[in-house]
Amino acid sequence: MDLVIKTRRGLERAAASVVKELLGPGAEVEAAPHGYLGIVVAKGLGPDKWKAAELIAEKAPEADRILVVEALVKAELPEIEKAAVEVAKRYIKAGDTFAIRTTRRGVHGFTSVDVNVRVGAAVKEATGAEVDLEEPTKPLYIEIFQDVAAVCVPATREYRKLRRDKPLPLAVFRKMAVGQFVYEGDEEAVRKMGERIGRAAQTFEVGELAVLLHKPVSGRTLRIFLEAVEEGIESRYQIQAKSYGRPVRRVPLYVHELYQYVRDRHGEPIVVTDPKGDYITHVKDKLADLFREDRVNVLVGSREGVPPGVYRFAALVVDLVPEVTIATDFVIPSLAIAIASALEEAGALPRYVGKRGRAGQKDK
């Protein structure tokens, strides 16, 4: 075994076909070895395995991750530890950081965490390098297939959702109280629009969503719209709660009359979104000052804009995208992204600094 290639489940055959074509007739390529999905292995490459890995990385987007096998041993802890240390001595220097990434397939008397702990301690002692589970400069992969363990060096970089120095806008979104005008139209359009608005608000976990009434609205239209918004919030919340690795906040929904809402929020920052306002990045510093407050109220029109009389009570009137009138269901996502971008430019967002913890490994 010279290469372990990870791909999307269901794409093993297609990826293997592409890899075989790239490597030529001398290479032996197998899709889903032992029935394990998402894996392609290549053999018979000899000293050219790194060149082969680079070629696959350049030509095969089906390959999500390409690992070069530097040692192949029995799937026993002492053997894995010994082989990993030998590979690490060639691959990892004292000034590097490293992490052990283990995926175990099959039944064994140890877990992936057992491998990480034992091998990590041995590699640290042998190389003098420090452990960094989030952004190691030299990760080492241990891929276990039943009774065989492959110690691998990656030929492709790791991608992670959070990296050090990335801005963190979630706390800003949770300060936003979005005031959304009712969408009017035929019942199906109202229902679809309401659901999309609810999903958008929950996606960014805004502090609250208020449906604003600035003129008489049909009771039936209002009911359909509110029910759809609630459905959108709930459907997105359920997905987030299942898939996120952090607590998720469900967005509360309220109904207010526009002008009374403005009076009630007197003393709090109010931001109006309208094409007649200032381009949002041009007022980024003032926007940053507003978000030092506990709550910032942002008013969003629907078909027709926010009445100009409200502008006098607003701290800012902002244009999110000059020359473009944004569709109602796209305003909240556009608003959140624009505010995050403006505050990042102003240097007003906190940044991710990393965390210490155990690597989340997978057993199969």
Side-chain angles (χ1 to χ4, degrees):
M1 188 186 305
D2 292 313
L3 300 178
V4 176
I5 301 159
K6 298 192 176 186
T7 186
R8 295 285 164 156
R9 293 190 175 199
L11 284 182
E12 303 87 3
R13 290 179 180 273
S17 176
V18 172
V19 170
K20 178 65 176 176
E21 183 178 343
L22 289 171
L23 300 185
E28 181 184 345
V29 180
E30 182 182 1
H34 304 291
Y36 294 119
L37 301 179
I39 297 292
V40 174
V41 297
K43 307 174 184 177
L45 304 178
D48 293 329
K49 60 186 178 183
W50 273 99
K51 289 183 179 179
E54 291 169 2
L55 180 62
I56 295 168
E58 180 182 353
K59 301 290 186 180
E62 295 88 348
D64 289 342
R65 180 166 293 146
I66 304 162
L67 306 176
V68 179
V69 179
E70 293 290 351
L72 201 61
V73 296
K74 290 182 179 180
E76 299 175 358
L77 271 176
E79 294 292 324
I80 296 171
E81 178 187 346
K82 181 179 177 182
V85 167
E86 290 304 313
V87 172
K89 286 178 179 178
R90 302 193 303 269
Y91 172 58
I92 300 171
K93 307 301 179 185
D96 294 328
T97 59
F98 77 96
I100 307 299
R101 314 285 199 207
T102 302
T103 302
R104 185 176 62 84
R105 304 168 182 87
V107 179
H108 306 89
F110 53 84
T111 68
S112 296
V113 174
D114 293 335
V115 177
N116 293 335
V117 172
R118 180 161 174 171
V119 172
V123 168
K124 179 177 172 65
E125 182 177 356
T127 65
E130 293 297 322
V131 175
D132 184 344
L133 300 182
E134 293 186 286
E135 296 182 57
T137 58
K138 297 289 184 67
L140 198 63
Y141 285 77
I142 298 175
E143 300 290 322
I144 301 175
F145 300 90
Q146 297 182 355
D147 59 349
V148 174
V151 180
C152 308
V153 173
T156 48
R157 63 169 287 190
E158 292 186 330
Y159 291 88
R160 300 180 68 83
K161 289 183 179 179
L162 279 181
R163 297 192 299 274
R164 292 185 182 92
D165 209 38
K166 260 195 173 183
L168 300 175
L170 185 60
V172 166
F173 297 151
R174 290 183 175 179
K175 287 186 175 186
M176 289 168 51
V178 178
Q180 169 70 58
F181 285 22
V182 177
Y183 185 86
E184 296 182 85
D186 65 80
E187 291 185 6
E188 186 61 24
V190 171
R191 184 174 290 106
K192 288 182 178 179
M193 192 62 70
E195 184 174 349
R196 290 170 182 168
I197 289 169
R199 286 179 64 84
Q202 183 59 50
T203 294
F204 293 94
E205 297 179 55
V206 299
E208 64 180 61
L209 177 61
V211 172
L212 301 181
L213 304 172
H214 69 292
K215 64 179 182 180
V217 175
S218 159
R220 183 175 180 83
T221 296
L222 179 59
R223 177 178 61 80
I224 292 172
F225 184 71
L226 290 174
E227 288 176 350
V229 172
E230 283 277 14
E231 289 171 8
I233 291 173
E234 182 63 22
S235 65
R236 184 59 191 167
Y237 173 76
Q238 291 299 329
I239 292 171
Q240 291 172 317
K242 291 178 182 177
S243 60
Y244 283 14
R246 60 167 176 80
V248 181
R249 182 178 181 277
R250 193 184 189 283
V251 174
L253 177 63
Y254 304 101
V255 179
H256 291 267
E257 190 274 329
L258 168 64
Y259 301 108
Q260 190 59 45
Y261 180 87
V262 171
R263 292 188 183 95
D264 286 344
R265 304 296 165 108
H266 176 72
E268 297 182 11
I270 294 177
V271 176
V272 172
T273 61
D274 193 279
K276 295 185 285 291
D278 296 314
Y279 183 37
I280 191 165
T281 60
H282 291 175
V283 290
K284 60 187 178 185
D285 293 326
K286 188 170 184 180
L287 190 68
D289 288 337
L290 298 184
F291 272 96
R292 291 190 176 94
E293 302 293 332
D294 293 333
R295 183 166 64 180
V296 178
N297 305 281
V298 186
L299 306 187
V300 177
S302 178
R303 285 195 167 179
E304 55 185 285
V306 176
V310 175
Y311 294 5
R312 297 193 304 275
F313 299 84
L316 285 175
V317 180
V318 297
D319 184 6
L320 303 180
V321 186
E323 297 190 297
V324 174
T325 300
I326 302 173
T328 302
D329 50 339
F330 291 158
V331 173
I332 291 178
S334 301
L335 170 68
I337 293 168
I339 287 177
S341 299
L343 295 183
E344 164 63 7
E345 282 191 23
L349 290 183
R351 294 179 179 273
Y352 184 66
V353 295
K355 62 182 179 181
R356 299 182 63 86
R358 293 185 300 176
Q361 304 299 336
K362 299 181 291 181
D363 283 353
K364 295 185 179 179

